[in-house]
Structures are given as structure tokens and as C-alpha cells.
mmCIF file of all heavy atoms in Angstrom:
data_model
loop_
_atom_site.group_PDB
_atom_site.id
_atom_site.type_symbol
_atom_site.label_atom_id
_atom_site.label_comp_id
_atom_site.label_asym_id
_atom_site.label_seq_id
_atom_site.Cartn_x
_atom_site.Cartn_y
_atom_site.Cartn_z
ATOM 1 N N ILE U 62 8.826 8.690 -2.948
ATOM 2 C CA ILE U 62 8.471 7.970 -4.173
ATOM 3 C C ILE U 62 9.363 6.742 -4.293
ATOM 4 O O ILE U 62 10.585 6.818 -4.149
ATOM 5 C CB ILE U 62 8.632 8.852 -5.420
ATOM 6 C CG1 ILE U 62 7.797 10.123 -5.271
ATOM 7 C CG2 ILE U 62 8.210 8.093 -6.679
ATOM 8 C CD1 ILE U 62 8.003 11.159 -6.395
ATOM 9 N N ALA U 63 8.733 5.600 -4.538
ATOM 10 C CA ALA U 63 9.443 4.333 -4.671
ATOM 11 C C ALA U 63 9.060 3.653 -5.980
ATOM 12 O O ALA U 63 8.100 4.016 -6.649
ATOM 13 C CB ALA U 63 9.098 3.417 -3.502
ATOM 14 N N SER U 64 9.853 2.680 -6.370
ATOM 15 C CA SER U 64 9.572 1.873 -7.583
ATOM 16 C C SER U 64 10.208 0.491 -7.376
ATOM 17 O O SER U 64 11.077 0.319 -6.530
ATOM 18 C CB SER U 64 10.171 2.550 -8.839
ATOM 19 O OG SER U 64 11.586 2.553 -8.781
ATOM 20 N N PRO U 65 9.778 -0.484 -8.134
ATOM 21 C CA PRO U 65 10.338 -1.846 -7.977
ATOM 22 C C PRO U 65 11.851 -1.900 -8.067
ATOM 23 O O PRO U 65 12.503 -2.589 -7.298
ATOM 24 C CB PRO U 65 9.626 -2.642 -9.085
ATOM 25 C CG PRO U 65 8.294 -1.963 -9.215
ATOM 26 C CD PRO U 65 8.601 -0.496 -9.054
ATOM 27 N N LYS U 66 12.425 -1.181 -9.026
ATOM 28 C CA LYS U 66 13.886 -1.252 -9.203
ATOM 29 C C LYS U 66 14.618 -0.086 -8.523
ATOM 30 O O LYS U 66 15.832 -0.167 -8.385
ATOM 31 C CB LYS U 66 14.198 -1.207 -10.695
ATOM 32 C CG LYS U 66 13.782 -2.462 -11.478
ATOM 33 C CD LYS U 66 14.196 -2.321 -12.931
ATOM 34 C CE LYS U 66 13.801 -3.582 -13.723
ATOM 35 N NZ LYS U 66 14.183 -3.460 -15.160
ATOM 36 N N GLY U 67 13.921 0.939 -8.097
ATOM 37 C CA GLY U 67 14.575 2.106 -7.556
ATOM 38 C C GLY U 67 15.200 2.946 -8.663
ATOM 39 O O GLY U 67 15.124 2.605 -9.834
ATOM 40 N N GLY U 68 15.819 4.048 -8.279
ATOM 41 C CA GLY U 68 16.465 4.907 -9.281
ATOM 42 C C GLY U 68 15.465 5.705 -10.098
ATOM 43 O O GLY U 68 14.380 6.024 -9.629
ATOM 44 N N LYS U 69 15.837 5.985 -11.351
ATOM 45 C CA LYS U 69 14.991 6.809 -12.218
ATOM 46 C C LYS U 69 14.082 5.920 -13.056
ATOM 47 O O LYS U 69 14.544 5.187 -13.939
ATOM 48 C CB LYS U 69 15.874 7.659 -13.148
ATOM 49 C CG LYS U 69 15.091 8.617 -14.016
ATOM 50 C CD LYS U 69 16.008 9.514 -14.849
ATOM 51 C CE LYS U 69 15.238 10.502 -15.700
ATOM 52 N NZ LYS U 69 16.101 11.408 -16.460
ATOM 53 N N PRO U 70 12.777 5.971 -12.823
ATOM 54 C CA PRO U 70 11.842 5.136 -13.567
ATOM 55 C C PRO U 70 11.450 5.789 -14.905
ATOM 56 O O PRO U 70 11.577 6.993 -15.056
ATOM 57 C CB PRO U 70 10.644 5.036 -12.651
ATOM 58 C CG PRO U 70 10.645 6.362 -11.930
ATOM 59 C CD PRO U 70 12.103 6.743 -11.769
ATOM 60 N N PRO U 71 10.989 4.992 -15.869
ATOM 61 C CA PRO U 71 10.515 5.555 -17.137
ATOM 62 C C PRO U 71 9.188 6.284 -16.936
ATOM 63 O O PRO U 71 8.392 5.919 -16.072
ATOM 64 C CB PRO U 71 10.334 4.323 -18.010
ATOM 65 C CG PRO U 71 10.017 3.226 -17.042
ATOM 66 C CD PRO U 71 10.822 3.537 -15.831
ATOM 67 N N VAL U 72 8.961 7.331 -17.729
ATOM 68 C CA VAL U 72 7.776 8.136 -17.572
ATOM 69 C C VAL U 72 7.064 8.346 -18.886
ATOM 70 O O VAL U 72 7.710 8.384 -19.955
ATOM 71 C CB VAL U 72 8.151 9.499 -16.940
ATOM 72 C CG1 VAL U 72 9.119 10.246 -17.800
ATOM 73 C CG2 VAL U 72 6.915 10.337 -16.686
ATOM 74 N N VAL U 73 5.746 8.419 -18.854
ATOM 75 C CA VAL U 73 4.931 8.718 -20.025
ATOM 76 C C VAL U 73 4.365 10.136 -19.822
ATOM 77 O O VAL U 73 3.685 10.422 -18.843
ATOM 78 C CB VAL U 73 3.796 7.717 -20.196
ATOM 79 C CG1 VAL U 73 2.863 8.125 -21.334
ATOM 80 C CG2 VAL U 73 4.335 6.318 -20.442
ATOM 81 N N ILE U 74 4.681 11.011 -20.789
ATOM 82 C CA ILE U 74 4.170 12.385 -20.737
ATOM 83 C C ILE U 74 3.351 12.630 -21.988
ATOM 84 O O ILE U 74 3.869 12.594 -23.114
ATOM 85 C CB ILE U 74 5.335 13.390 -20.659
ATOM 86 C CG1 ILE U 74 6.152 13.166 -19.396
ATOM 87 C CG2 ILE U 74 4.784 14.832 -20.707
ATOM 88 C CD1 ILE U 74 7.356 14.103 -19.280
ATOM 89 N N ASP U 75 2.045 12.834 -21.795
ATOM 90 C CA ASP U 75 1.142 13.116 -22.886
ATOM 91 C C ASP U 75 0.915 14.644 -22.937
ATOM 92 O O ASP U 75 0.287 15.203 -22.043
ATOM 93 C CB ASP U 75 -0.192 12.388 -22.682
ATOM 94 C CG ASP U 75 -1.133 12.501 -23.877
ATOM 95 O OD1 ASP U 75 -1.006 13.461 -24.632
ATOM 96 O OD2 ASP U 75 -1.981 11.604 -24.042
ATOM 97 N N ASP U 76 1.440 15.277 -23.969
ATOM 98 C CA ASP U 76 1.361 16.743 -24.054
ATOM 99 C C ASP U 76 -0.063 17.276 -23.962
ATOM 100 O O ASP U 76 -0.278 18.359 -23.404
ATOM 101 C CB ASP U 76 2.020 17.226 -25.352
ATOM 102 C CG ASP U 76 3.531 17.034 -25.349
ATOM 103 O OD1 ASP U 76 4.083 16.893 -24.261
ATOM 104 O OD2 ASP U 76 4.115 17.033 -26.454
ATOM 105 N N ASP U 77 -1.020 16.542 -24.525
ATOM 106 C CA ASP U 77 -2.403 17.023 -24.531
ATOM 107 C C ASP U 77 -3.033 17.027 -23.139
ATOM 108 O O ASP U 77 -4.012 17.719 -22.906
ATOM 109 C CB ASP U 77 -3.262 16.161 -25.485
ATOM 110 C CG ASP U 77 -2.922 16.382 -26.940
ATOM 111 O OD1 ASP U 77 -2.380 17.459 -27.244
ATOM 112 O OD2 ASP U 77 -3.167 15.478 -27.757
ATOM 113 N N ASP U 78 -2.478 16.217 -22.235
ATOM 114 C CA ASP U 78 -3.054 16.116 -20.879
ATOM 115 C C ASP U 78 -2.351 17.014 -19.867
ATOM 116 O O ASP U 78 -2.798 17.136 -18.725
ATOM 117 C CB ASP U 78 -2.979 14.670 -20.385
ATOM 118 C CG ASP U 78 -3.867 13.748 -21.199
ATOM 119 O OD1 ASP U 78 -4.855 14.222 -21.786
ATOM 120 O OD2 ASP U 78 -3.580 12.533 -21.233
ATOM 121 N N MET U 79 -1.276 17.641 -20.272
ATOM 122 C CA MET U 79 -0.452 18.404 -19.298
ATOM 123 C C MET U 79 -1.134 19.692 -18.883
ATOM 124 O O MET U 79 -1.625 20.484 -19.697
ATOM 125 C CB MET U 79 0.914 18.721 -19.921
ATOM 126 C CG MET U 79 1.762 17.491 -20.175
ATOM 127 S SD MET U 79 2.391 16.756 -18.644
ATOM 128 C CE MET U 79 3.658 17.953 -18.224
ATOM 129 N N GLY U 80 -1.167 19.922 -17.557
ATOM 130 C CA GLY U 80 -1.720 21.160 -17.001
ATOM 131 C C GLY U 80 -0.720 21.801 -16.093
ATOM 132 O O GLY U 80 0.435 21.386 -15.988
ATOM 133 N N VAL U 81 -1.141 22.837 -15.374
ATOM 134 C CA VAL U 81 -0.214 23.626 -14.573
ATOM 135 C C VAL U 81 0.481 22.806 -13.481
ATOM 136 O O VAL U 81 1.672 22.974 -13.221
ATOM 137 C CB VAL U 81 -0.907 24.864 -13.937
ATOM 138 C CG1 VAL U 81 -1.260 25.878 -15.031
ATOM 139 C CG2 VAL U 81 -2.155 24.462 -13.166
ATOM 140 N N PHE U 82 -0.291 21.876 -12.862
ATOM 141 C CA PHE U 82 0.316 21.089 -11.783
ATOM 142 C C PHE U 82 1.368 20.123 -12.327
ATOM 143 O O PHE U 82 2.367 19.828 -11.675
ATOM 144 C CB PHE U 82 -0.763 20.327 -11.011
ATOM 145 C CG PHE U 82 -1.597 21.218 -10.180
ATOM 146 C CD1 PHE U 82 -2.799 21.763 -10.650
ATOM 147 C CD2 PHE U 82 -1.225 21.583 -8.875
ATOM 148 C CE1 PHE U 82 -3.584 22.596 -9.890
ATOM 149 C CE2 PHE U 82 -1.996 22.416 -8.089
ATOM 150 C CZ PHE U 82 -3.164 22.942 -8.581
ATOM 151 N N ASP U 83 1.136 19.626 -13.535
ATOM 152 C CA ASP U 83 2.079 18.697 -14.164
ATOM 153 C C ASP U 83 3.385 19.399 -14.534
ATOM 154 O O ASP U 83 4.460 18.872 -14.306
ATOM 155 C CB ASP U 83 1.428 18.044 -15.362
ATOM 156 C CG ASP U 83 0.024 17.562 -15.053
ATOM 157 O OD1 ASP U 83 -0.121 16.824 -14.054
ATOM 158 O OD2 ASP U 83 -0.917 17.952 -15.760
ATOM 159 N N PHE U 84 3.271 20.615 -15.085
ATOM 160 C CA PHE U 84 4.461 21.356 -15.430
ATOM 161 C C PHE U 84 5.182 21.816 -14.150
ATOM 162 O O PHE U 84 6.418 21.851 -14.109
ATOM 163 C CB PHE U 84 4.119 22.540 -16.313
ATOM 164 C CG PHE U 84 3.846 22.173 -17.736
ATOM 165 C CD1 PHE U 84 2.583 22.353 -18.295
ATOM 166 C CD2 PHE U 84 4.844 21.622 -18.538
ATOM 167 C CE1 PHE U 84 2.331 21.989 -19.609
ATOM 168 C CE2 PHE U 84 4.600 21.272 -19.857
ATOM 169 C CZ PHE U 84 3.340 21.443 -20.400
ATOM 170 N N ALA U 85 4.413 22.155 -13.132
ATOM 171 C CA ALA U 85 5.034 22.555 -11.850
ATOM 172 C C ALA U 85 5.860 21.390 -11.288
ATOM 173 O O ALA U 85 6.947 21.619 -10.743
ATOM 174 C CB ALA U 85 3.971 22.968 -10.853
ATOM 175 N N PHE U 86 5.348 20.206 -11.452
ATOM 176 C CA PHE U 86 6.051 18.996 -10.975
ATOM 177 C C PHE U 86 7.392 18.840 -11.722
ATOM 178 O O PHE U 86 8.429 18.551 -11.108
ATOM 179 C CB PHE U 86 5.181 17.764 -11.195
ATOM 180 C CG PHE U 86 5.720 16.500 -10.605
ATOM 181 C CD1 PHE U 86 5.518 16.187 -9.283
ATOM 182 C CD2 PHE U 86 6.458 15.610 -11.386
ATOM 183 C CE1 PHE U 86 6.015 14.996 -8.734
ATOM 184 C CE2 PHE U 86 6.950 14.424 -10.878
ATOM 185 C CZ PHE U 86 6.744 14.126 -9.526
ATOM 186 N N LEU U 87 7.383 19.101 -13.030
ATOM 187 C CA LEU U 87 8.614 19.010 -13.806
ATOM 188 C C LEU U 87 9.620 20.092 -13.423
ATOM 189 O O LEU U 87 10.814 19.920 -13.610
ATOM 190 C CB LEU U 87 8.294 19.092 -15.287
ATOM 191 C CG LEU U 87 7.503 17.945 -15.917
ATOM 192 C CD1 LEU U 87 7.256 18.212 -17.387
ATOM 193 C CD2 LEU U 87 8.255 16.610 -15.760
ATOM 194 N N ASN U 88 9.116 21.186 -12.901
ATOM 195 C CA ASN U 88 9.958 22.331 -12.528
ATOM 196 C C ASN U 88 10.251 22.394 -11.033
ATOM 197 O O ASN U 88 10.857 23.363 -10.561
ATOM 198 C CB ASN U 88 9.330 23.631 -12.985
ATOM 199 C CG ASN U 88 9.230 23.748 -14.500
ATOM 200 O OD1 ASN U 88 10.121 23.282 -15.212
ATOM 201 N ND2 ASN U 88 8.136 24.310 -15.003
ATOM 202 N N ASP U 89 9.826 21.387 -10.310
ATOM 203 C CA ASP U 89 9.970 21.355 -8.852
ATOM 204 C C ASP U 89 11.233 20.543 -8.494
ATOM 205 O O ASP U 89 11.252 19.315 -8.645
ATOM 206 C CB ASP U 89 8.734 20.683 -8.252
ATOM 207 C CG ASP U 89 8.740 20.644 -6.726
ATOM 208 O OD1 ASP U 89 9.814 20.751 -6.115
ATOM 209 O OD2 ASP U 89 7.646 20.489 -6.150
ATOM 210 N N PRO U 90 12.314 21.194 -8.047
ATOM 211 C CA PRO U 90 13.566 20.472 -7.804
ATOM 212 C C PRO U 90 13.407 19.350 -6.775
ATOM 213 O O PRO U 90 14.004 18.264 -6.973
ATOM 214 C CB PRO U 90 14.483 21.576 -7.236
ATOM 215 C CG PRO U 90 13.914 22.861 -7.750
ATOM 216 C CD PRO U 90 12.443 22.636 -7.791
ATOM 217 N N ASP U 91 12.619 19.553 -5.714
ATOM 218 C CA ASP U 91 12.414 18.520 -4.741
ATOM 219 C C ASP U 91 11.703 17.302 -5.302
ATOM 220 O O ASP U 91 12.117 16.155 -5.120
ATOM 221 C CB ASP U 91 11.647 19.068 -3.528
ATOM 222 C CG ASP U 91 11.543 18.061 -2.404
ATOM 223 O OD1 ASP U 91 12.585 17.519 -1.991
ATOM 224 O OD2 ASP U 91 10.415 17.826 -1.927
ATOM 225 N N ALA U 92 10.630 17.570 -6.050
ATOM 226 C CA ALA U 92 9.857 16.470 -6.676
ATOM 227 C C ALA U 92 10.711 15.728 -7.688
ATOM 228 O O ALA U 92 10.685 14.466 -7.745
ATOM 229 C CB ALA U 92 8.596 17.000 -7.336
#
């Protein structure tokens, strides 16, 4: 994963759109 500035980018999390894969991503240490 890359970004223009590198490091930790800002993220938008919409609770109404969150599903199992999205929560898995948040709980995935490698990701």
C-alpha cells in the first residue's frame, strides 16, 4: 500500500457500510 506522502494516511469509515471483510481488515495485523 502506497500514498502520496507515505506513512499513515487519513481514512473514512462509514459505520453503515461496514461488513465482515472491512472489520477483518481493521483486525488484520499485517494489513
Side-chain angles (χ1 to χ4, degrees):
I62 304 174
S64 66
K66 292 182 179 180
K69 185 176 181 178
V72 59
V73 175
I74 299 177
D75 188 334
D76 290 341
D77 289 337
D78 294 335
M79 294 289 286
V81 290
F82 289 93
D83 313 307
F84 284 115
F86 187 85
L87 292 179
N88 295 323
D89 183 339
D91 185 51

